[in-house]
Amino acid sequence: MAFRTEMGLYYSYFKIIIEAPSFWSGVCTIMNDKLTEYPLVINTLQRFNLYPEVVLASWYRIYTTIMEFLGVPTKTCWTVNRGKGLSPVESCEGLGDPASFYVAVIFLLNGFMMSLFFIYGTYLSGSHLGGLVTVLCFFFNHGECTRVMWTPPLRESFSYPFLVMQMLLLTYILRIPSINTGSLIALCVSNIFFMLPWQFAQFVLLTQIASLFAVCIMGYIDSSKLQKILSAHMVSLLVCFILMFGNSMLLTSYYAASLVVISGILEWSPKVLKRRKREVCVWVIEGCAWLFGTVTLKYLTSLVFGIADDAHIGNILKSKFIGYKDFDTLMYTCAAEFDFMEKETPVRYTKTLLLPVVLVVLGVIIKRVIKYILWSLSHTGRYEKEERFIHGELVFHALQLLAYSVLAILIMRLKLFLTPHLCIMASLVCSKQLFGWLFYKIQPKTLVFAILALMTIEGSANLRTQWNIMGEFSNLPQEELLEWIKVNTRQDAVFAGAMPTMASVKLSTLRPIVNHPHYEDAGLRARTKVVYSMYSRKPASQVKRDLIKLGVNYYILEESLCVSRKKPGCSMPEIWDVEDPANRGKIPLCTLMSKDSRPYFITVFENSNYRVLKIPKE
C-alpha cells in the first residue's frame, strides 16, 4: 500500500513476475496484460518502460533460489499487533522480502550515482576538489536534487544515474581531439540505459543535442565530431525502438526529428551557405532551420503514423505561455509538480551558496565565449582551433544549464535535472582553465574550503531536516476498501475510479481496472476522462452508460476529489466546467452520489474516504 499512484503500478509488474510459476511465464503475463486497461490486452513492456522491473525480478528469483539452495535465511519476519480493534499484520525485512529487495537495488544504484558525481566533478574541473564540491553541494541541496528517498519506483530513480554517466562520457568525447570507437559505443550504451526506463528521457536528450548543435555552429567543436555523436544517438534510439516492441512514440518524438534535421544541416549547410568563416547571420539561419525543421518533421511523422500520445506535452507548454486549458492539461498543471517553479527554490539555492557560486562560474564562461566569438569572427588560425578544443565542453555545460533552467522554471518537477547540474557546474570553481588567474593570488584549497565552510552553515541544517523526517505509512480507509474488495467481489470484477486508487486496487487485489496513473497514452487519457465524468455535472444516466461501455462493474468514489482544490480552478468540478461548459452551474454528480446513489448506482461499501458504487446492468 505504501507504493501509491505510479509507484504501485510499476511495482505490481515486479510482483507478477516474481510470483509467477517461472520467470518467462511472468514476462509473458505482463506482455499480454489483461488487468491494466480492461478489456484491452496490452504489452506493458511496450507501454510502461518496465525493463527495470523485469531485470530486478530476474535478480530476485536468482538470489532467492541460490540462498534457498544454500540454506541461508534471507529475511526476518514478525507479527505487529496494531491494537484498537485492528487485525495483526506481518512485517519483514531483509533482501528476501520483495519490497525490501526492490528498494535496496534502487538505493544502491543511486549510491553508485554519487560515485559518478565525484568522478564527473573531478574530471570536468580538473581537480579532486571539484569532485568534493559536487558531492557536498548535492547533499547540502538533497531535497531539491532527488525524490528517490520518497518515491523509489518512479522511472527517474532507474534512469537518471545513467544520464550522469552519459554526460560524463560526453564531456570526455568533447574534450578529446578525436573520437575513438569505444567512446561512441559507451555513449550509445549509456543512452540506451537512460532511455529504456523512462518515457521522458527523450525530452532531456532533445535539450542535449540542441546544446551540442549550438556549440557546433559557434565553432567550438567540429561538425564531423557532432555527426559521430549524432550517429551514436540514432543507433541508441533505434535499439530502444526495437526493445520497446516498436513504440512509435520514440520515432515520432521531437528528439528523433531533431537528430535527423541536425544531421541534414551539418551535411548541407557547407554546400548551401558557402563561407570561409563563421558569421552571426549564418548561425541564425542554421538555428532557425533546426527549429522549423524539427517542428515540421515531428508534425509530419505524427501525422503519418497517426500518433497523438505526446500531444499533451505541447498543450502543457501552451498553457504556460498563453493560458491554454483543457481537461488533460489541467490534470497536469493543477498538480504541484507540473506548476511553475516555487519562488522559494532559488532562495534555497542561494542560502546554500549554490546559486551564487554557479552564477560566478557561468559569468566567467559567458565572458570567455563572447571574447572568443568576437575574435573568431575576425580571425582564423591555430589559436581558434586550440581554444575551441579546450573550452567546448564548458560551453556545452553552460548551455545545458540554461536549458535545464528553462525547463525547471516552466515545470517544477524538472528541477530534478537542474539542481544536480548546478552541483556539477559548481565544481568549476576549482577549474584552472577558468580561475587560474585567481589561483596565482590565492591557494585553490584555501578558496574552496572557505566556500565549502560557508555552504555548510545552511547545508548542514538541510541535512538535519532530511534526517529528522521519520514516520510510518498508514491508510486505514484504503486498507478497509482493499480488504472489502478481496472478500466481497469476484476475481474478474472490473473497477474504475481515481488514478492513484486504481494503482492500489491492481497491486493489492489483482482486480481488472480500466484506468491507471500512466497518463502518456492518448487512448488512456480518453478512458480516464470517461471515468472522471463522475466528478462532472453531467446527468447520472449518461455517466452510467459510458461506464457500462467500458465494462465497469464497480466505481470507487472519493468525496475529497469532489470538494478539494489545490488552487483556484483546480477542483474536479471546476476542471469539468472548462471541458463541459454546457452543464456549468449544475450540482456536481459526485455530490449527488455522496448523498444518494440511487437509482442509477447502488452503494455497496462506504467509509470515511471511499464509497463503492455498484453499476447495475441495464
Side-chain angles (χ1 to χ4, degrees), residues 162-201:
F162 294 105
L163 175 64
V164 178
M165 179 184 291
Q166 192 257 13
M167 290 280 285
L168 175 58
L169 288 167
L170 189 58
T171 303
Y172 169 75
I173 289 171
L174 292 175
R175 184 167 282 181
I176 59 177
S178 57
I179 308 178
N180 54 65
T181 306
S183 300
L184 287 176
I185 293 173
L187 181 66
C188 183
V189 171
S190 60
N191 269 358
I192 293 169
F193 284 168
F194 174 51
M195 276 193 285
L196 266 185
W198 200 14
Q199 67 271 22
F200 285 126

Side-chain angles (χ1 to χ4, degrees), residues 222-452:
D222 290 328
S223 58
S224 59
K225 176 179 280 191
L226 181 55
Q227 281 282 27
K228 292 177 181 177
I229 294 172
L230 293 179
S231 298
H233 275 269
M234 289 178 179
V235 171
S236 60
L237 181 64
L238 183 60
V239 171
C240 286
F241 176 74
I242 294 170
L243 291 176
M244 292 288 289
F245 300 91
N247 188 323
S248 52
M249 192 173 168
L250 289 173
L251 289 189
T252 60
S253 64
Y254 286 103
Y255 168 55
S258 189
L259 286 173
V260 174
V261 169
I262 292 176
S263 295
I265 292 173
L266 294 178
E267 181 67 29
W268 290 98
S269 182
K271 301 174 183 177
V272 177
L273 302 172
K274 295 180 180 179
R275 77 278 188 194
R276 292 185 178 180
K277 61 182 181 181
R278 294 274 169 180
E279 298 176 355
V280 174
C281 63
V282 175
W283 300 351
V284 172
I285 292 171
E286 290 178 335
C288 291
W290 166 75
L291 183 61
F292 177 78
T294 299
V295 173
T296 303
L297 185 58
K298 155 56 179 165
Y299 174 77
L300 292 175
T301 52
S302 297
L303 200 63
V304 169
F305 288 99
I307 301 301
D309 291 342
D310 57 354
H312 62 299
I313 301 295
N315 290 338
I316 291 173
L317 293 177
K318 282 165 60 179
S319 74
K320 301 292 182 180
F321 295 109
I322 62 174
Y324 174 82
K325 293 180 180 180
D326 65 13
F327 181 87
D328 295 327
T329 303
L330 287 170
M331 290 292 285
Y332 276 101
T333 56
C334 282
E337 58 266 32
F338 284 92
D339 203 350
F340 289 101
M341 179 190 284
E342 301 167 309
K343 294 178 182 178
E344 293 79 10
T345 299
V347 175
R348 289 193 284 265
Y349 291 156
T350 303
K351 287 181 177 179
T352 59
L353 294 187
L354 178 62
L355 187 58
V357 167
V358 173
L359 286 177
V360 170
V361 169
L362 189 62
V364 173
I365 293 175
I366 291 173
K367 182 181 176 181
R368 294 282 184 94
V369 168
I370 293 173
K371 181 180 177 181
Y372 169 68
I373 289 175
L374 293 175
W375 191 90
S376 65
L377 288 174
S378 56
H379 300 81
T380 56
R382 181 180 176 185
Y383 173 76
E384 174 188 359
K385 191 169 185 179
E386 289 178 352
E387 186 77 2
R388 69 184 181 186
F389 281 137
I390 291 174
H391 297 298
E393 75 280 4
L394 301 186
V395 179
F396 163 72
H397 279 81
L399 290 171
Q400 191 69 71
L401 175 63
L402 294 177
Y404 286 157
S405 299
V406 171
L407 291 176
I409 290 170
L410 292 175
I411 300 175
M412 188 266 286
R413 176 183 180 180
L414 298 183
K415 70 179 179 182
L416 300 175
F417 292 109
L418 171 63
T419 315
H421 198 72
L422 285 171
C423 299
I424 288 293
M425 293 295 289
S427 71
L428 290 172
V429 76
C430 308
S431 172
K432 291 181 180 179
Q433 291 182 6
L434 297 180
F435 297 99
W437 56 274
L438 182 61
F439 294 158
Y440 284 118
K441 303 175 183 178
I442 304 174
Q443 278 289 329
K445 291 182 180 178
T446 303
L447 177 64
V448 171
F449 282 113
I451 293 172
L452 289 177

Side-chain angles (χ1 to χ4, degrees), residues 325-332 519 525 528-530 532-533 572 575-576 578-579:
K325 293 180 180 180
D326 65 13
F327 181 87
D328 295 327
T329 303
L330 287 170
M331 290 292 285
Y332 276 101
Y519 208 56
R525 291 197 294 273
T528 299
K529 189 183 293 186
V530 172
Y532 275 60
S533 63
M572 286 308 306
I575 291 175
W576 269 106
V578 174
E579 187 71 21

Side-chain angles (χ1 to χ4, degrees), residues 11 28 34 82 108 139 167 201 204 210 214 220 226 239 261 265 282 443 458 467 492 511 521 601 613:
Y11 182 78
C28 288
K34 302 174 183 178
R82 297 184 291 172
L108 284 171
F139 282 116
M167 290 280 285
V204 178
Y220 275 95
L226 181 55
V239 171
V261 169
I265 292 173
V282 175
Q443 278 289 329
E458 184 69 21
W467 290 330
D492 59 354
R511 299 300 193 269
D521 177 74
F601 303 92
L613 306 179

Side-chain angles (χ1 to χ4, degrees), residues 539-556:
S541 57
Q542 180 183 341
V543 173
K544 177 184 176 182
R545 281 196 305 270
D546 292 340
L547 291 173
I548 288 176
K549 288 178 183 177
L550 289 178
V552 178
N553 302 126
Y554 296 93
Y555 190 97
I556 301 176

